[in-house]
Amino acid sequence: MRILVLDGGWFLGRAVIEGALARGWDVTAFNRGRSGAVPEGIETVRGDRTSDADLKRLAQSGSWDAVVDTSSGEMAPHTVLAAAEALRPVVGRWVHVSTVSVYQGWPHQPLTEHSALLDAPADADESFGYTGADGSPTKYGFQKAGAEKAVRQTFGGDAVVLRPGVILGPGEYVGRLPWWLRRAERGGVILAAAPSSRSIQPVDVRDVAAFALDQAARTGGGAFNIAHPTPLSTGEFLAHCLAVTGGVGQVVWADPAVLEDHGVRQWTEMPLWRTAAGVWSVDSSRAVAAGLSCRPLTTTISDTWEWLEAEGRPVEHPRAAEHGITPGKEAAILAALGHGIPRPAVRRP
């Protein structure tokens, strides 16, 4: 099996490459070489996918059984369309990593692959779309919907679209799980959004990569939601963060209305917390039937902490700075709730 990975220097792209090498596949990575080092044992083609000349040069460098595209997150649909058209003569199959944000109902409604999509043309530029007053839909969602259309338009039945929600694991650059782990390590009184029973269903980056590779090796197209089929409660999530970091802490579960009154931003200042009903109601049964296998989220938490403790450093990304409430703001809210200032960090041996 010979595959081309668009990206490959960080997080999901790197996990795809490492997984393909473990299967004994021949791998080519196409990227600009600015974000992390690609694993050894692969062919690397340097270039910018927004450059027609670079895409032409890439197409001339060989043929591949499949492409796995993990780098279109910030790309306009017309850019994805240009890459798909340039590579169609030399690629048998395109596995495209998209997002649940392409659904009209995200994040307010439970989602299946039959849920209605946002409408965006395959050749839309960066200006297409808008973000609603309540944060949905998003311009990002429109852009990704157009990118999906570009791939389907070019590859037809040889196009596979993966729609993950939240991806966590070693190498994470957004900073959601790393922030909670570092907060757990500090210990003391920890602010969290009630209820503790609220379930979350992020997936491990390695499991997304494995499923993408499985789809690259198969025939037939279609779309798959990628979410953990066995959700974990927020209480269990934080308990495991405390356990693996050795932090000694007491979690205070604040009513969401209280957090909103104090201006706590959902999804960023309180990572993984969002009150919309559909956020963690993504049906992944179609992917599970097609072979998606997800390790327990507690394993993802443990492995991410092990990576951080081994001096793991994610690729620098501006989104990381958005995540996590400041100690001062957390202390002020806890004081208003009658819990005073968080205790100094105590770490269990």
Side-chain angles (χ1 to χ4, degrees), residues 100-112:
V100 292
S101 295
V102 299
Y103 289 111
Q104 291 181 19
W106 170 258
H108 301 292
Q109 301 170 5
L111 300 173
T112 73

Side-chain angles (χ1 to χ4, degrees), residues 242-259:
L242 285 164
V244 300
T245 61
V248 178
Q250 170 198 353
V251 180
V252 172
W253 298 97
D255 189 287
V258 172
L259 297 177

Side-chain angles (χ1 to χ4, degrees), residues 159-170:
V160 178
V161 174
L162 310 185
R163 296 175 183 144
V166 173
I167 303 176
L168 303 177

Side-chain angles (χ1 to χ4, degrees), residues 84 93 126 153 159 191 230 242 274:
R93 188 167 175 76
E126 294 83 354
Q153 176 178 301
L191 182 67
T230 309
L242 285 164
R274 199 167 181 179

Side-chain angles (χ1 to χ4, degrees), residues 21 62 74 93 113 115-116 121 133 135 146 210 248 297-298 307 311 317 339:
L21 291 174
E74 308 301 327
R93 188 167 175 76
E113 288 85 358
S115 300
V248 178
L297 283 170
T298 51
W307 167 71
E311 301 302 320
H317 195 280
H339 289 275

